[in-house]
Amino acid sequence: MSVEKFTDAEKCLIYGDTYSNVYNEIIVSEDITSNEMKNVLKGNYVEVLENDLFLDLYNEFEHLNKSNFSSNIVKHISDFLHLNPLKNNTIFTFGVACYQLFLQANWTGPLVSKLDLKSWGPSTAVIESLVNDLDCVSRKVLYPELLVFSYAVFSNDQINIFTRFWWQIRMLSTLQSLLNELSNDIKNMFELAFKKMENTVLETDEEALFRIEQCKIYLSHYGNITKATNCLNTAMNLLGLEHSLVGAMGKRTKFQVKELAQLTLNVNSHKEENNTNLLTSHECCDLPKDCVLDDENRLPDIKFSNESAGKFPKLNSLQQAAILNTLVMEQKCRPKDDLQFEELQPYIRCLVSQQSVWSIHVSTLLQRSLLERDSRRSVERAMQQIECLVSSLEVTSPLNVDRLYLFHCSFVSPSWQLKAYLGNIMLSIGAIQSALDWFLALDMWEECVACYNTQGHRHKAAEILKNELKSSNLTVAKHILILCLLGDATDDISLYEEAWKISDYRSSRAQKHLAFYYYTRKEYKESIDHFKNSLKINSLQETLWFRLGFACMVEERWSEAAEAYRRYCDIENDCFEAWNNLAKCYIKNGQKSRAYYALKEAVKCNYESWMVWDNLMVVSVDCGCFEEAIKCYHRLLDLKSKHIDLEVLRILVQAVRNNVKDENDRPASEHRKCLLQLFGRLTSQVQNDGEIWKLYAHLEEAVPKPTKETADKVLHHLQCAHRFTTQGNKWTQEKNSCLFVSRLSLELAEAYISCSNKTENHDQKKRFLSSAKIMLVSVVSQIEKEKDLMESADIREEFEKLKNNLNEIKLQLSAEV
């Protein structure tokens, strides 16, 4: 494990805090750092990029071979450093300056001025050439060459600056956020960089910062809640931060008289303040305005009876970042409903009250707006707030370094995405034309096509896409995208094939659209190969794995379907439908034990779906997991009140009676007590099912040495079974029900005789035998009336048994007299 530690200059670059004592010492120092480093720390990125050495390297990049461009630019920097090893720190500083300026231009503002750099090619082709997935980047990206230069620097092994891997992770996150689809290339580079960081010794605050940034990456790009939770919990422990949702009495409407319990956030920090800490003293002024909710009924904020319930402690910057990531994680792992909105509000109120870190404040206001846009009462505030955030990017205050502080722990959206959110809100409230205008201005062609389709103007969507094909700065990735969208608008399959050909047969998008062309027409067999081709190029398309699984299920290609759903569950492990379908595929393949574990995962994802519990119960029985099957039946009764599955109950009772071994090689008799509890609960809810009472009696009887108490319980349950089965005399109208009653009557007669034999009281013996006689006489007489039934050999055989049993009981009664 590496034991190197960051220098003070590296720390200040990573933290980005301009308020610490360490930062001030570096700035005033004469010999510790170069002027380029000081300018980067101050945020004077443009001045750094006016360096002649940078300009020479930058201009040389333009002439490099665009084939395998990402490798060529890295090699070019390596060759330069091999000849000029003393320029290591300078080149790294250029990379940081380029990257920070790129973020300022596209994410945080203020607007970049006085930057005069020559473009290397049309539109965003330079960024698209960094990955092999042929994915499209928004044309609204400013200065894409800056990101490319930072990619060349941070991906270069010749640069032995210790924080390079950390900067590479940040850069890769930014690059991924520019692409429409997840990239295999970027994911692989993430994993390598994470491994390098795992082998690094970090101080407490350094590790807390890194874990929060790692959590943000898992949440933003991959939706991996498990890994994100682990990272966030580590950071919380390092920061000494604890939080929980608690209730407090208060009012939330203007005319509310009675106070009700309201949710608030209880935050505790166990970490003492350290004046030398780089992350405790940051205070940013001129934050974007928090738009107040203007509603005729709701208060702008909850009015708590105890004012302290609505107040939050002052948190340091990293603690705020941890709470923000908790907010986003809670949003992603909970179902989208009114309860989710209520549970997230306390986190938002806590963060908005801090008013200290620009990126966290903006992220919080944006998250609140995205939550409120679906509510009629708050959609107007959501629009106003996003408009305010858009306009805040254009003002000069606060400084760029203040805006970039903890940017990588936050969820600030790029400027064009903020405008897209406004378009989506307009679309949701029915202002389709206004939304269309926004999307056209942003070159968001997929959203434009959706708007035209909503208006019933598919021909206009085709027209605008055809015009875009004539654009002079059309990149290969953009060309493929427009062709595919035009194919969607015109149902012309040849356009997808043309896109596939243009891509040199390596576009996952072209194959995806071809697959969906067939899939939407229910031509599943034809869609399967195209799904596979697309996934072979980019295996991170979770939706395609799900659709491929379904298509294979329809075609009864169970092994392929199982593989598809398994791959989907690796990426998105909280979808109960996928786990449920995976279990079905395993069952069809005869792999019941694997189906059992798949269904166990399914119920974790959706604890309220009775169908999944029913499937798990059935598979549990087949696998010999009797204890799990009993638990499932209890859960089904919780969800449905009444649930009857006689087949499962028969198997469970039979297993106990025969004392078969369960999946853990335990005798099934050990589960008898739990199964009796289940039958007790079931018969209290479903009282009129004769077969359930009969099975209940068999279960009571399944003991090595029956006692008088056991015999009494068996008799009671069989009496109930007989009474409910013979109600209404409809049982004589059908052969199977007649056979069931006949056999049940024989069992009941034997139970009467058993109780008679176990009692010493002469009168009780006669009562038991007399009851058996009356019951049998009634059954025999009713069967005799049905001449059609008596023609059946099975019925005649059971009838003879009943008559013989009746005669024996009559003899016993006469002997007792």
Side-chain angles (χ1 to χ4, degrees):
M1 180 177 287
S2 178
V3 294
E4 296 96 331
K5 291 188 177 181
F6 299 161
T7 64
D8 287 342
E10 287 180 275
K11 283 184 182 180
C12 283
L13 272 183
I14 283 291
Y15 289 146
D17 194 344
T18 59
Y19 290 78
S20 65
N21 294 331
V22 176
Y23 170 85
N24 293 327
E25 290 172 5
I26 292 174
I27 294 300
V28 299
S29 169
E30 294 293 335
D31 54 359
I32 295 179
T33 51
S34 64
N35 288 330
E36 287 82 6
M37 177 67 78
K38 290 179 182 179
N39 277 325
V40 171
L41 290 172
K42 292 177 183 177
N44 299 331
Y45 309 124
V46 176
E47 293 183 25
V48 176
L49 302 187
E50 290 173 347
N51 183 291
D52 290 338
L53 174 58
F54 168 77
L55 292 173
D56 289 342
L57 284 170
Y58 179 88
N59 292 328
E60 288 170 5
F61 273 28
E62 180 186 2
H63 305 294
L64 296 177
N65 189 346
K66 293 301 184 288
S67 176
N68 205 12
F69 185 58
S70 59
S71 298
N72 290 336
I73 57 176
V74 174
K75 184 178 183 301
H76 189 71
I77 293 290
S78 295
D79 293 342
F80 173 82
L81 290 174
H82 185 71
L83 297 173
N84 304 275
L86 297 179
K87 296 295 183 181
N88 200 307
N89 288 348
T90 303
I91 297 299
F92 180 72
T93 305
F94 289 159
V96 175
C98 285
Y99 179 56
Q100 295 286 74
L101 188 59
F102 180 78
L103 294 178
Q104 177 185 335
N106 292 283
W107 265 265
T108 64
L111 299 176
V112 176
S113 59
K114 301 179 181 179
L115 181 62
D116 185 19
L117 290 176
K118 185 179 179 181
S119 176
W120 296 339
S123 184
T124 55
V126 287
I127 292 181
E128 292 166 2
S129 61
L130 293 180
V131 293
N132 295 319
D133 300 328
L134 280 178
D135 201 358
C136 185
V137 176
S138 171
R139 256 173 51 186
K140 298 304 176 184
V141 177
L142 299 175
Y143 309 114
E145 293 81 6
L146 295 176
L147 184 64
V148 175
F149 194 95
S150 67
Y151 177 98
V153 173
F154 299 148
S155 303
N156 202 302
D157 292 333
Q158 286 284 102
I159 297 176
N160 51 12
I161 305 294
F162 203 52
T163 54
R164 176 176 67 85
F165 295 109
W166 198 331
W167 282 104
Q168 184 187 20
I169 290 168
R170 291 176 168 182
M171 178 273 301
L172 290 173
S173 179
T174 302
L175 177 57
Q176 178 62 80
S177 65
L178 295 174
L179 303 175
N180 291 330
E181 301 284 351
L182 292 175
S183 165
N184 281 316
D185 293 348
I186 294 175
K187 186 178 182 184
N188 292 335
M189 286 189 282
F190 264 136
E191 290 175 354
L192 288 174
F194 282 152
K195 286 181 181 177
K196 294 288 186 181
M197 291 299 298
E198 291 295 336
N199 295 327
T200 303
V201 176
L202 299 175
E203 294 179 359
T204 301
D205 286 335
E206 291 168 359
E207 184 172 1
L209 175 62
F210 176 71
R211 293 302 178 190
I212 295 175
E213 291 187 17
Q214 198 176 15
C215 171
K216 185 241 180 176
I217 289 170
Y218 285 131
L219 289 174
S220 297
H221 304 315
Y222 303 108
N224 194 322
I225 301 300
T226 302
K227 290 186 177 180
T229 302
N230 293 337
C231 293
L232 190 55
N233 287 342
T234 301
M236 290 280 192
N237 292 332
L238 292 169
L239 295 169
L241 187 65
E242 293 181 353
H243 63 85
S244 60
L245 291 174
V246 295
M249 301 303 290
K251 301 177 182 178
R252 64 186 317 159
T253 62
K254 296 177 180 178
F255 309 106
Q256 187 174 339
V257 176
K258 182 181 178 181
E259 290 187 338
L260 299 173
Q262 311 290 342
L263 275 179
T264 188
L265 190 68
N266 184 24
V267 184
N268 294 311
S269 176
H270 303 297
K271 189 171 184 180
E272 295 181 1
E273 291 288 333
N274 183 351
N275 293 331
T276 63
N277 192 317
L278 290 170
L279 295 157
T280 57
S281 58
H282 194 97
E283 288 291 337
C284 179
C285 302
D286 300 319
L287 296 172
K289 176 186 174 184
D290 174 14
C291 297
V292 178
L293 180 65
D294 183 16
D295 186 85
E296 60 185 15
N297 186 32
R298 285 172 56 185
L299 291 168
D301 202 356
I302 296 174
K303 185 178 181 181
F304 291 99
S305 55
N306 184 354
E307 292 185 1
S308 63
K311 293 182 179 179
F312 303 95
K314 189 64 178 176
L315 303 176
N316 70 40
S317 304
L318 266 188
Q319 290 172 335
Q320 293 178 47
I323 295 295
L324 174 63
N325 277 262
T326 303
L327 163 67
V328 176
M329 186 162 62
E330 290 292 322
Q331 183 179 356
K332 286 184 178 291
C333 67
R334 292 181 182 275
K336 189 176 181 181
D337 53 22
D338 292 339
L339 182 60
Q340 182 211 48
F341 183 78
E342 295 298 328
E343 291 178 342
L344 296 180
Q345 286 303 308
Y347 296 99
I348 293 173
R349 289 198 299 271
C350 174
L351 291 170
V352 170
S353 70
Q354 300 299 314
Q355 299 280 329
S356 61
V357 181
W358 187 90
S359 60
I360 292 175
H361 185 73
V362 168
S363 297
T364 305
L365 295 179
L366 176 59
Q367 293 300 318
R368 185 183 68 186
S369 300
L370 297 180
L371 286 169
E372 292 183 339
R373 64 183 172 178
D374 296 326
S375 171
R376 178 179 59 84
R377 290 187 175 276
S378 56
V379 65
E380 185 177 349
R381 198 255 287 264
M383 289 187 66
Q384 288 177 351
Q385 188 65 74
I386 294 178
E387 287 172 348
C388 180
L389 296 179
V390 171
S391 55
S392 71
L393 303 181
E394 301 174 359
V395 299
T396 57
S397 181
L399 297 174
N400 55 357
V401 287
D402 283 333
R403 299 180 191 225
L404 288 166
Y405 176 57
L406 292 190
F407 171 84
H408 303 284
C409 297
S410 68
F411 295 83
V412 178
S413 293
S415 55
W416 63 85
Q417 184 61 60
L418 289 175
K419 296 173 183 176
Y421 286 139
L422 284 175
N424 287 324
I425 293 175
M426 292 174 184
L427 187 61
S428 69
I429 62 177
I432 299 174
Q433 188 58 49
S434 298
L436 181 60
D437 293 340
W438 274 105
F439 295 142
L440 287 171
L442 295 168
D443 292 347
M444 299 180 67
W445 305 116
E446 291 178 86
E447 287 77 3
C448 292
V449 170
C451 287
Y452 280 126
N453 289 342
T454 303
Q455 292 177 321
H457 297 157
R458 290 187 71 189
H459 63 286
K460 289 187 177 181
E463 182 181 335
I464 197 169
L465 291 171
K466 287 176 182 177
N467 290 335
E468 188 61 24
L469 283 175
K470 301 173 184 177
S471 174
S472 59
N473 62 347
L474 202 64
T475 65
V476 174
K478 195 60 169 281
H479 195 178
I480 294 167
L481 171 64
I482 298 299
L483 283 173
C484 290
L485 293 177
L486 187 57
D488 293 344
T490 60
D491 295 329
D492 185 354
I493 194 173
S494 66
L495 293 169
Y496 305 134
E497 293 167 348
E498 182 183 351
W500 178 235
K501 186 176 180 180
I502 287 173
S503 72
D504 195 23
Y505 311 106
R506 60 191 185 94
S507 169
S508 62
R509 177 180 286 277
Q511 286 295 307
K512 177 176 72 173
H513 282 258
L514 266 169
F516 277 117
Y517 175 85
Y518 292 112
Y519 184 89
T520 54
R521 288 162 177 76
K522 297 186 178 180
E523 298 174 20
Y524 299 114
K525 185 177 180 180
E526 290 77 9
S527 72
I528 290 173
D529 287 339
H530 295 297
F531 277 130
K532 288 182 176 180
N533 289 338
S534 182
L535 289 164
K536 187 176 181 180
I537 298 168
N538 184 358
S539 62
L540 299 179
Q541 303 175 88
E542 58 185 63
T543 304
L544 264 65
W545 284 117
F546 194 93
R547 296 287 192 272
L548 173 60
F550 181 80
C552 291
M553 282 180 67
V554 173
E555 294 298 315
E556 298 186 359
R557 295 159 66 168
W558 302 111
S559 297
E560 295 170 78
E563 173 64 20
Y565 281 121
R566 191 161 53 244
R567 294 295 297 273
Y568 176 85
C569 292
D570 287 341
I571 302 172
E572 183 65 50
N573 60 6
D574 60 351
C575 176
F576 84 94
E577 292 98 337
W579 286 110
N580 196 50
N581 290 349
L582 176 59
K584 180 178 179 180
C585 296
Y586 283 146
I587 291 170
K588 293 291 185 179
N589 279 333
Q591 299 172 302
K592 291 183 179 179
S593 60
R594 298 184 77 177
Y596 169 75
Y597 290 108
L599 287 168
K600 290 275 283 183
E601 293 295 327
V603 296
K604 290 179 186 177
C605 302
N606 190 342
Y607 202 71
E608 305 301 319
S609 173
W610 71 267
M611 291 178 287
V612 181
W613 283 103
D614 190 36
N615 291 339
L616 178 57
M617 178 180 68
V618 172
V619 173
S620 298
V621 168
D622 286 343
C623 295
C625 304
F626 302 132
E627 185 176 5
E628 185 67 33
I630 295 169
K631 289 179 181 177
C632 290
Y633 212 123
H634 275 293
R635 181 59 186 157
L636 284 165
L637 293 178
D638 291 338
L639 295 171
K640 294 186 67 181
S641 295
K642 295 181 180 180
H643 183 80
I644 301 174
D645 192 324
L646 293 173
E647 186 65 28
V648 167
L649 294 173
R650 287 192 200 103
I651 294 171
L652 290 172
V653 172
Q654 193 67 25
V656 173
R657 293 181 76 184
N658 296 336
N659 205 20
V660 300
K661 298 292 182 67
D662 67 8
E663 89 284 6
N664 294 320
D665 209 30
R666 294 162 56 198
S669 57
E670 293 185 13
H671 306 300
R672 179 176 176 273
K673 185 177 180 181
C674 294
L675 192 55
L676 283 171
Q677 292 175 348
L678 173 62
F679 269 96
R681 181 181 180 187
L682 183 59
T683 51
S684 69
Q685 297 175 349
V686 184
Q687 297 181 350
N688 59 352
D689 191 301
E691 186 155 3
I692 292 177
W693 283 104
K694 178 183 175 182
L695 291 170
Y696 198 0
H698 290 173
L699 184 63
E700 289 284 5
E701 199 175 23
V703 289
K705 295 181 179 180
T707 62
K708 182 178 181 302
E709 183 182 358
T710 302
D712 289 340
K713 288 181 179 179
V714 171
L715 176 61
H716 171 265
H717 298 340
L718 289 174
Q719 284 174 329
C720 292
H722 196 273
R723 181 169 68 252
F724 293 128
T725 305
T726 56
Q727 280 179 344
N729 295 329
K730 291 183 179 180
W731 60 273
T732 58
Q733 299 173 10
E734 201 269 325
K735 176 184 173 182
N736 289 334
S737 58
C738 184
L739 284 172
F740 179 80
V741 170
S742 299
R743 291 161 183 166
L744 178 60
S745 300
L746 288 171
E747 284 192 50
L748 179 56
E750 290 175 7
Y752 277 122
I753 294 171
S754 176
C755 288
S756 173
N757 293 335
K758 283 183 169 56
T759 181
E760 300 295 331
N761 188 299
H762 181 72
D763 292 335
Q764 281 187 347
K765 283 179 179 286
K766 287 183 63 178
R767 278 198 296 272
F768 283 131
L769 294 172
S770 296
S771 297
K773 173 186 171 183
I774 294 170
M775 179 270 297
L776 289 173
V777 167
S778 174
V779 172
V780 168
S781 63
Q782 290 188 66
I783 293 177
E784 280 182 322
K785 294 177 184 177
E786 302 295 331
K787 302 300 182 183
D788 293 337
L789 282 175
M790 293 298 292
E791 294 178 1
S792 168
D794 292 339
I795 298 293
R796 287 199 305 272
E797 182 182 349
E798 294 299 324
F799 182 73
E800 290 301 322
K801 290 180 182 178
L802 288 169
K803 288 183 68 176
N804 292 337
N805 204 295
L806 177 60
N807 291 333
E808 289 176 8
I809 290 173
K810 287 179 179 179
L811 287 173
Q812 290 187 45
L813 271 173
S814 62
E816 293 291 335
V817 172

